[in-house]
């Protein structure tokens, strides 16, 4: 095919102009197309439905009712327990996660890739499954301490993976200067390197805090009453909508306070780009004393629970009691809703990711913040709010697969937005400009050029949503249709009545099914494990 000289001239001019805009930041400040802006607003409105409806429901109860609910002794206990557990889990995960990252990046460890994979294993195990594995061997476990230890074990990778990535790119120059001035390795790290990796540590701590605040399955198994426990009790025991909505809003407020605190803490942190520090060789005794630091979270959060699961699964009575058709139905249901949720989350996240990748401004920032609401709204809150919304607005959809899939999409859309925005932003604008000069419309140019190049990031976002959907419990318990069971709900239903043997097959298949997209994800891009 031959390109006319005038068309080639226009293409060259577009390339030069686009490069100039990209260097000056203009490529991100152009006015967003109206169609893209409207689509992003629709996605943001969908993400805001649960939170908006909770405010409406709480307002209908009236201020006196809200005050009475919030000042009740039991509610104060729930809130105190939630805050205590979240603070303790965040502190311990931060300390242990930074220590793990330091060992994996600054110490020459044999089979370093294997140890990195081992340190990330807790990401594949939901907290309630870890709790189940321990209860199999120690059915008397309950209270704050087991909840704190297990939550710490399953959330350490949220800190260790981003901190390890930051340490690999951190400057070693200042740390070397600090060492020449007589500072020891640890002191030099704190003074010279810690400020540059602190944003990654704070971001990981945010995820840990939100995870601990929103956890329901583990604290319910350990009989430790938190706000999620109170919300479920208010809804399921007495169907007290006003009290449940008020408690849900209190939990949202606590989560938003955590998010605001995280943004404040990581503001104006200096960054430096220079040579990285190579791992140092240490003596064998020192190495043997450091490796348990890396292994403790996988041991507590994965190995011991899976051993408990395996011992129960191999029991002859358990094998005889396996209901094959019911087990298969739970697998099909789990995979089906995970695929549907991934597709819907991608469709909702795509306009927001495309808007924020190329444009900026107050409205764009507001749309992006609303799209990320799922990070700050726990699953039990989304489930409860959509129960209210479906009953009041679309009663025909109450207890339907459609509402359940929509809840998953709202909850996990932020995972898709983050990866897709990065992928879309990496596509050079000049390629789209060339397509435009060849006669394509903006939509055609975007579809033919941008989408194929960003397809890996879109696939990663879909896999992240699918993995999270398979493990989701509280929203599923509230929204699933009558008779509809996933592997997570089947595991939960049997564990709460201490039928550990009957729960074992569902727990084993949940691990295996969730591991499939995780393996695919690791094959697509190893760095994507940090998004889990």
């Amino acid at each position: 095919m031959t390109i006319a000289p005038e068309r080639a001239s226009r293409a060259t001019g577009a390339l030069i102009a686009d490069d100039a805009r990209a260097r000056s930041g203009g490529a991100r400040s152009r006015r967003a197309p109206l169609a893209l802006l409207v689509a992003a607003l629709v996605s943001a409105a969908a993400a805001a439905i649960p939170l908006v409806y909770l405010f409406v429901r709480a307002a209908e109860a009236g201020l006196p009712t809200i005050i009475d609910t919030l000042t009740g002794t039991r509610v104060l206990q729930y809130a105190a327990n939630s805050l205590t557990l979240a603070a303790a889990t965040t502190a311990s995960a931060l300390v242990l996660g930074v220590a793990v990252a330091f060992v994996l990046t600054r110490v020459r460890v044999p089979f370093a890739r294997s140890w990195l994979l081992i340190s990330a294993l807790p990401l594949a195990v939901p907290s309630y499954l870890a709790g189940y594995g321990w209860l199999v061997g120690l059915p008397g476990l309950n209270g704050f301490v087991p909840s704190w230890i297990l939550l710490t074990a399953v959330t350490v990778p949220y800190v260790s993976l981003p901190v390890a990535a930051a340490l690999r790119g951190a400057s070693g120059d200042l740390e070397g200067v600090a060492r020449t001035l007589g500072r020891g390795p640890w002191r030099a790290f704190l003074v010279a390197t810690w400020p540059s990796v602190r944003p990654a540590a704070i971001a990981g701590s945010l995820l840990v805090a939100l995870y601990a605040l929103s956890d329901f399955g583990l604290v319910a198994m350990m009989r430790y009453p938190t706000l999620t426990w109170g919300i479920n009790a208010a809804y399921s025991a007495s169907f007290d909508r006003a009290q449940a909505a008020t408690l849900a809003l209190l939990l949202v407020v606590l989560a938003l306070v955590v998010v605001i605190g995280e943004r404040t803490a990581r503001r104006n942190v200096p960054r430096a780009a220079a040579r990285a520090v190579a791992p140092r060789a240490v003596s064998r005794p020192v190495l043997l004393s450091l490796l348990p630091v890396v292994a403790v979270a996988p041991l507590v959060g994965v190995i011991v629970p899976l051993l408990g699961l395996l011992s129960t699964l191999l029991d002859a009575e358990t094998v005889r009691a396996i209901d094959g058709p019911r087990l298969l139905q739970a697998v099909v249901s789990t995979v089906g809703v995970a695929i549907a949720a991934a597709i819907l989350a991608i469709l909702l996240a795509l306009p927001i990711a495309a808007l924020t990748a190329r444009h900026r401004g107050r409205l764009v920032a507001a749309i992006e913040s609303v799209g990320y609401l799922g990070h700050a709204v726990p699953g039990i809150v989304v489930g409860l709010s959509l129960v209210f919304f479906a009953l009041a607005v679309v009663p025909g959809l109450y207890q339907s697969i459609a509402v359940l899939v929509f809840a998953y999409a709202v909850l996990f859309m932020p995972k898709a937005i983050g990866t897709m925005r990065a992928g879309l932003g990496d596509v050079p604008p000049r390629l789209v400009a060339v397509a435009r000069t060849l006669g394509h419309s903006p939509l055609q140019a975007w579809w033919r050029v941008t989408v194929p190049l960003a397809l890996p990031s879109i696939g990663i976002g879909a896999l992240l949503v699918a993995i999270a959907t398979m493990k989701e419990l509280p929203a599923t318990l509230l929204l699933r249709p009558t008779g509809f069971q996933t592997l997570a709900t089947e595991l939960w239903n049997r564990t709460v009545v201490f039928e550990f043997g009957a729960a074992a097959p569902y727990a084993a298949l949940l691990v295996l099914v969730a591991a499939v997209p995780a393996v695919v994800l690791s094959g697509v891009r190893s760095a994507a494990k940090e998004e889990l």
Side-chain angles (χ1 to χ4, degrees), residues 31-422:
R31 180 175 297 178
L34 181 60
L36 179 60
L37 192 59
V38 170
L41 283 170
V42 170
S43 296
I49 285 176
L51 191 57
V52 170
Y53 201 78
L54 272 184
F55 276 106
V56 172
R57 174 58 63 184
E60 289 177 354
L63 186 59
T65 303
I66 294 175
I67 294 175
D68 289 342
T69 300
L70 294 179
T71 56
T73 304
R74 183 168 296 181
V75 173
L76 294 177
Q77 180 190 358
Y78 291 157
N81 288 348
S82 292
L83 288 172
T84 302
L85 182 61
T89 302
T90 303
S92 53
L94 175 62
V95 172
L96 185 56
V98 171
V100 169
F102 184 86
V103 172
L104 292 178
T105 58
R106 295 302 175 85
V107 177
R108 190 171 299 167
V109 178
F111 310 106
R113 287 183 176 273
S114 298
W115 280 105
L116 179 62
L117 178 61
I118 290 171
S119 71
L121 283 178
L123 292 175
V125 179
S127 60
Y128 57 85
L129 184 54
Y132 162 79
W134 278 91
L135 286 173
V136 167
L138 299 171
L141 281 180
N142 66 84
F144 168 78
V145 173
S147 302
W148 166 51
I149 292 175
L150 289 178
L151 275 178
T152 299
V154 299
T155 57
V156 163
Y158 287 110
V159 176
S160 63
L161 289 178
V163 170
L167 280 172
R168 290 189 190 97
S171 170
D173 297 326
L174 293 178
E175 191 170 339
V177 171
R179 291 296 305 276
T180 62
L181 295 176
R183 304 287 177 89
W186 181 242
R187 183 64 178 167
F189 170 80
L190 288 178
V191 172
T193 305
W194 172 249
S196 63
V197 301
R198 194 178 72 187
I202 294 173
S205 299
L206 166 68
L207 295 178
V208 173
L210 293 177
Y211 191 108
L213 281 174
S214 63
D215 183 79
F216 169 71
L218 176 64
V219 295
M221 287 182 178
M222 296 297 166
R223 299 182 291 281
Y224 183 67
T226 61
L227 279 171
T228 54
W229 172 304
I231 293 168
N232 185 70
Y235 170 74
S236 59
S238 61
F239 206 74
D240 188 342
R241 297 183 182 181
Q243 182 180 0
T246 302
L247 292 178
L249 278 179
L250 176 59
L251 186 57
V252 169
V253 168
L254 293 178
L256 290 175
V257 168
V258 171
V259 173
I260 293 171
E262 183 268 343
R263 288 191 175 185
T264 303
R266 64 181 167 89
R267 188 176 299 160
N268 298 325
V269 177
R271 290 180 176 271
R275 65 175 183 85
V277 177
R280 296 176 179 272
V282 296
S283 63
R284 183 178 295 272
V286 173
L287 182 62
L288 292 178
S289 66
L290 291 177
L291 288 181
V293 174
V294 182
V296 62
L299 179 66
V300 174
V302 181
I303 304 302
V304 172
L306 289 185
L307 287 176
L309 169 63
L310 185 62
S311 65
T312 305
L313 190 61
L314 295 179
D315 184 82
E317 186 176 345
T318 299
V319 174
R320 286 193 299 268
I322 292 178
D323 186 343
R326 189 180 181 95
L327 195 62
L328 179 60
Q329 183 181 4
V331 172
V332 172
S333 300
T334 301
V335 174
V337 294
I339 293 173
I343 293 173
L344 182 57
I346 290 298
L347 293 176
L348 289 174
L350 191 55
I352 298 177
L355 180 69
T356 57
R358 287 285 183 260
H359 307 281
R360 59 187 176 189
R362 291 184 179 179
L363 180 58
V364 174
I367 291 174
E368 183 181 20
S369 297
V370 174
Y372 276 103
L373 275 177
H375 265 325
V377 182
I380 195 169
V381 173
V382 171
L384 181 66
S385 62
L386 289 180
V387 167
F388 296 159
F389 179 81
L391 286 172
V393 181
V394 282
L397 293 179
Y398 175 64
Q399 283 196 326
S400 68
I401 295 292
V403 175
L404 178 61
V405 170
F406 179 75
Y408 291 143
V410 170
L411 269 172
F412 306 125
M413 186 168 62
K415 296 178 180 294
I417 291 175
T419 56
M420 291 166 60
R421 181 185 60 187

Side-chain angles (χ1 to χ4, degrees), residues 448-464:
R448 288 175 176 268
V449 177
T450 304
V451 171
L453 292 176
L455 202 56
S457 66
I458 296 174
I460 289 170
L463 288 172
L464 290 171

Side-chain angles (χ1 to χ4, degrees), residues 455-491:
L455 202 56
S457 66
I458 296 174
I460 289 170
L463 288 172
L464 290 171
V465 174
I467 294 171
T469 299
M470 291 175 183
K471 299 188 294 183
E472 170 57 31
L473 178 63
T476 312
L477 291 173
L478 289 172
L479 294 171
R480 74 189 193 278
T482 302
F484 181 85
Q485 300 287 354
T486 65
L487 290 170
T489 59
E490 290 280 18
L491 169 61

